[in-house]
Amino acid sequence: MNKLYFLGLSLLATSLSFASFGQAQKSNDKKNQTHFITGIGGSYVNIIDEGISPLLYDGSGGSVILGHFQEKMNNLNASSVKFDFNNPSSSISNAEMYTFRLEGHFQRYWKVSNLEEKKLKLRPGFDLSAKWALRQHLNFTNNSQHIETRFSVAPALMIARPFELWERNFELGAFTSIPLLTYATRPLFASTRFPASVNKEEIEFLDYVKEGEIISFGNYFKWSTQFFLFYPLKNGNGLRLDYFWNYESYKAQNPVRTGEHSIMISTFFKI
Amino acid sequence: MSLRNITILLLLFLALSSCERLFMKEEPEPENAAIFDHLWETVDEKYSFFEDKNIDWDSARDVFRPKAIEARNSVELFNVLADMLFILKDGHVNISAGIDLSRNWDWFLEYPTNFNFDVIERNYLAPSEDYQISGPIHNTIIDSVGYMYYESFSNNVSTSLMDYLVLKFLINEEEESFQLNSLDGPVAGIIIDVRNNGGGSISNAFTIANRFAGDRVKVADWFYKTGPDHDDFSRAEEKFIEFDGNEDYKFNKPIVVLINRSSYSSANFFASMMSFLPNVTLMGDQTGGGGGLPINDELPNGWRYRFSSTRTLDANGNNIEFGVKPDILVQLDSTGFIEGNDRMIEEAIDFIKSQ
């Protein structure tokens, strides 16, 4: 049922996207443009959080995104805040959880002059990201809520391939990044309490990001990829169909592995 | 590079990047050994009372693992796992499957009941014109002493409800005025009965205790499990109680908290907290214990289980996992039940009126 829902949302997003293709005849020059991004779509997650359960939880939900995308002569800057809600369940225990995820990115990519001349444009860059995630198990009591945070620095790569189809201009591409260094927090070993909140009656928001650890390859791996199909409109605005995917594995005291997917349709408003 | 090559490259990238399920497999029908090992290892690393109870958990593995492997069906496996968990002697430890819920109830089954709600209802509550069921709290006035029976800390109470009850016990109806903080008021004191209260939310325990507290007083230290070794605990988290309620209706008269062996978990902690108030006397039998917050987990076959993951020492350093002793030991006898008499309530009334 969850997969059907996810597929349905994906098809809806795709059809909305293609329905919009007829609105433009030619693209504008994208140099030195800034766009404000709003998007919505469906999402799907796989989770094994051994702080909660050894079982695989998977399920669908929804996503929204806000962001900005700035293209200059020599570089591109992109920032975004994406929120996901999912309702995964275990096919073995039939238990359910809610997951809430807020993830922010700032990315910069540089245009390498000799690569920009080619049809396939490769743009190296970096990705700074922050993530806050809450997993709430619906059948647990004292340990029903698990919160974790991440702050990552990652080299990133943008691949873009403009092309023309039906006498209209499109751009197909991907952003991908793998963090080199990450600062991560997880709850205490056998509790949902955070180390920094011990001895505090009122938990402060910053407690969730204190007393974490700096991690890298060996005990932490994350691969994020975003595929896109961009369609510039005549008036300088645009539409983008995105598929986001990331896989994360953190060998903490309670290991956690997640795979997260979203398909989103976004509008680009020129500002 | 041609468009075709680009498309192939992107499709290959897409295929590689969305296959995390290759790394996130789970066994749909896990072996008995895998189920046993998960349970044993998780409890080994996260259970909080191995040292306090001097439990040889390694020996439990030696004894029960072969039995688990030999189990021919779910019922046999469940029973082996339940038997192993039984040695933890902990009412907060259960394993739950569709077929059964394992439990260790020795903490109250091996002791006198010391409680019969039917006797209280028929002889103390129902005959009284003051009897009300205010939220989860049965309450009345018995022989000029306020009486509250709280059956479960799972049922939420609020500070405003506690304000109401205190006000009820302090109103002097004959004079149609409030007699606050005065022994001339309508009640000489309050009995808070948490016998057979098996616990629930710890926040309800704080709500009630704070309503009767005065200045801030330390009542306990909590220790969280921070690592896999049996003695890996966090620094102490100090717990305090402090008056919270309507300042006009503070209650400074004598309070007796009635307890028995079935007062467990949050009720156990409540009794411990209340014992640090100068006007409170614990009466009855020792509580059943339950001094650790239980957490839940699942086994690879989907069965759910829970176990204690924290330790609690009261402000005097006593481990309340083993129960809280009463200030005045009182046991009920069957003769009293037959006569419709609850000796603990009677003794509590006499004690309060003698103060």
Side-chain angles (χ1 to χ4, degrees):
Chain A
M1 184 64 193
N2 282 341
K3 287 177 182 170
L4 282 177
Y5 170 66
F6 179 68
L7 279 174
L9 272 175
S10 307
L11 284 172
L12 179 65
T14 308
S15 58
L16 279 173
S17 166
F18 276 95
S20 307
F21 284 175
Q23 295 174 1
Q25 298 298 318
K26 288 182 180 176
S27 71
N28 286 0
D29 181 7
K30 293 202 310 172
K31 303 287 188 296
N32 293 316
Q33 286 194 20
T34 302
H35 288 95
F36 175 65
I37 307 169
T38 59
I40 190 166
S43 59
Y44 176 80
V45 293
N46 291 300
I47 300 165
I48 299 178
D49 183 343
E50 295 186 29
I52 302 173
S53 169
L55 300 178
L56 171 68
Y57 280 71
D58 66 316
S60 56
S63 306
V64 291
I65 191 168
L66 291 174
H68 111 290
F69 189 89
Q70 182 183 49
E71 180 165 359
K72 293 182 176 178
M73 287 299 291
N74 299 319
N75 58 58
L76 299 102
N77 299 312
S79 58
S80 64
V81 177
K82 183 165 171 277
F83 175 76
D84 295 85
F85 166 77
N86 292 89
N87 179 210
S89 60
S90 162
S91 61
I92 292 179
S93 70
N94 294 317
E96 292 181 52
M97 64 170 81
Y98 291 141
T99 65
F100 305 86
R101 192 172 72 254
L102 190 63
E103 191 161 352
H105 287 268
F106 173 76
Q107 296 163 297
R108 167 165 287 190
Y109 298 95
W110 286 277
K111 295 177 178 177
V112 181
S113 55
N114 57 337
L115 294 177
E116 287 298 307
E117 306 303 322
K118 298 181 179 177
K119 288 183 179 176
L120 181 68
K121 301 174 194 315
L122 296 175
R123 292 159 181 162
F126 66 85
D127 179 3
L128 304 176
S129 64
K131 184 177 92 167
W132 177 91
L134 161 65
R135 302 189 183 101
Q136 181 169 15
H137 199 287
L138 303 187
N139 300 94
F140 287 3
T141 52
N142 292 319
N143 60 331
S144 63
Q145 291 192 336
H146 286 245
I147 293 173
E148 59 181 23
T149 57
R150 307 272 189 276
F151 298 91
S152 296
V153 182
L157 180 68
M158 177 184 179
I159 306 169
R161 172 53 163 97
F163 64 96
E164 193 171 299
L165 186 67
W166 304 313
E167 297 183 346
R168 291 173 173 84
N169 292 301
F170 294 89
E171 187 171 87
L172 188 65
F175 303 93
T176 189
S177 64
I178 295 176
L180 290 178
L181 279 178
T182 296
Y183 177 81
T185 63
R186 294 266 287 161
L188 287 170
F189 183 56
S191 166
T192 54
R193 196 87 166 151
F194 265 75
S197 64
V198 170
N199 257 324
K200 283 189 177 175
E201 291 178 11
E202 298 282 335
I203 301 173
E204 297 166 16
F205 182 77
L206 284 178
D207 290 345
Y208 295 119
V209 298
K210 290 177 182 169
E211 299 186 39
E213 60 175 346
I214 295 173
I215 48 179
S216 187
F217 299 113
N219 59 359
Y220 184 73
F221 177 76
K222 184 180 182 184
W223 183 8
S224 301
T225 305
Q226 174 187 350
F227 297 94
F228 68 86
L229 176 64
F230 182 73
Y231 176 57
L233 299 171
K234 195 176 181 179
N235 57 5
N237 297 330
L239 292 169
R240 197 170 77 180
L241 179 67
D242 290 295
Y243 168 61
F244 293 85
W245 171 82
N246 74 68
Y247 171 72
E248 181 188 55
S249 173
Y250 177 20
K251 292 175 185 168
Q253 278 190 320
N254 291 308
V256 56
R257 284 169 289 165
T258 59
E260 297 157 345
H261 308 250
S262 349
I263 290 183
M264 307 190 74
I265 180 77
S266 302
T267 54
F268 277 53
F269 294 106
K270 188 179 176 185
I271 52 177
Chain B
M1 189 181 279
S2 69
L3 185 61
R4 181 171 169 272
N5 288 342
I6 293 164
T7 308
I8 291 170
L9 191 67
L10 285 175
L11 285 175
L12 188 64
F13 203 37
L14 180 68
L16 278 173
S17 69
S18 299
C19 55
E20 81 270 5
R21 285 291 278 263
L22 290 174
F23 312 107
M24 299 177 72
K25 285 180 179 171
E26 63 179 358
E27 184 58 55
E29 291 185 10
E31 299 285 332
N32 286 1
I35 296 167
F36 177 91
D37 289 343
H38 181 87
L39 177 64
W40 187 90
E41 285 167 12
T42 307
V43 171
D44 181 52
E45 294 179 347
K46 296 184 176 177
Y47 183 66
S48 51
F49 293 120
F50 284 118
E51 296 197 341
D52 295 307
K53 296 182 177 179
N54 198 24
I55 291 166
D56 187 348
W57 195 236
D58 289 332
S59 132
R61 178 180 54 192
D62 297 340
V63 171
F64 291 102
R65 194 171 193 275
K67 293 180 182 177
I69 292 169
E70 288 168 11
R72 292 165 299 176
N73 52 49
S74 296
V75 176
E76 287 186 5
L77 178 62
F78 180 90
N79 289 334
V80 171
L81 300 182
D83 288 347
M84 180 176 74
L85 294 178
F86 195 84
I87 68 173
L88 297 175
K89 299 175 186 168
D90 191 329
H92 277 144
V93 176
N94 308 97
I95 180 167
S96 169
I99 51 175
D100 201 359
L101 173 75
S102 80
R103 63 272 169 194
N104 186 330
W105 287 347
D106 285 353
W107 46 274
F108 70 91
L109 290 176
E110 292 181 348
Y111 302 94
T113 311
N114 281 325
F115 183 75
N116 186 330
F117 183 71
D118 195 50
V119 168
I120 297 171
E121 188 172 44
R122 289 170 184 271
N123 298 285
Y124 295 93
L125 297 177
S128 169
E129 289 182 358
D130 298 308
Y131 179 36
Q132 290 181 311
I133 304 172
S134 308
I137 297 181
H138 297 258
N139 61 89
T140 189
I141 297 173
I142 307 168
D143 194 12
S144 297
V145 171
Y147 175 81
M148 303 193 306
Y149 176 63
Y150 188 28
E151 185 178 14
S152 170
F153 279 92
S154 298
N155 302 321
N156 286 339
V157 293
S158 62
T159 301
S160 58
L161 172 64
M162 299 312 299
D163 280 343
Y164 166 75
L165 290 170
V166 170
L167 187 59
K168 171 180 176 174
F169 294 139
L170 292 176
I171 288 176
N172 187 330
E173 289 183 341
E174 291 176 1
E175 296 180 9
E176 294 182 346
S177 63
F178 297 165
Q179 296 289 320
L180 303 179
N181 300 321
S182 161
L183 290 176
D184 297 330
V187 299
I190 290 178
I191 299 168
I192 302 175
D193 193 344
V194 292
R195 286 176 293 171
N196 276 41
N197 186 323
S201 171
I202 207 89
S203 65
N204 289 319
F206 276 105
T207 299
I208 302 176
N210 285 335
R211 185 59 187 77
F212 293 104
D215 294 337
R216 182 176 162 92
V217 58
K218 180 178 172 179
V219 292
D221 284 321
W222 283 10
F223 300 88
Y224 298 93
K225 203 75 173 55
T226 55
D229 290 339
H230 291 180
D231 59 353
D232 282 341
F233 285 98
S234 68
R235 65 185 186 274
E237 179 171 87
E238 296 179 300
K239 294 293 178 185
F240 299 86
I241 57 174
E242 184 176 16
F243 178 77
D244 181 22
N246 190 323
E247 290 280 350
D248 294 333
Y249 314 136
K250 276 192 173 179
F251 194 87
N252 300 320
K253 296 179 182 180
I255 296 170
V256 171
V257 177
L258 297 184
I259 50 179
N260 68 354
R261 291 279 180 170
S262 293
S263 303
Y264 192 76
S265 190
S266 293
N268 176 59
F269 187 52
F270 173 73
S272 173
M273 286 195 290
M274 293 295 283
S275 72
F276 287 92
L277 302 183
N279 57 333
V280 169
T281 302
L282 302 185
M283 185 180 285
D285 196 2
Q286 182 174 323
T287 60
L293 283 179
I295 60 169
N296 305 86
D297 199 351
E298 292 176 315
L299 292 175
N301 64 349
W303 291 349
R304 203 165 296 146
Y305 63 106
R306 68 169 193 160
F307 55 89
S308 304
S309 67
T310 63
R311 295 171 74 234
T312 303
L313 302 183
D314 72 15
N316 294 327
N318 301 310
N319 190 331
I320 66 167
E321 168 66 5
F322 306 107
V324 178
K325 287 186 167 60
D327 299 309
I328 301 172
L329 178 66
V330 179
Q331 303 273 6
L332 299 190
D333 55 54
S334 53
T335 313
F337 283 156
I338 295 166
E339 294 170 351
N341 178 289
D342 186 312
R343 190 170 155 236
M344 280 193 201
I345 293 177
E346 299 295 338
E347 296 243 353
I349 291 170
D350 291 344
F351 177 81
I352 286 170
K353 293 174 88 170
S354 70
Q355 296 299 298

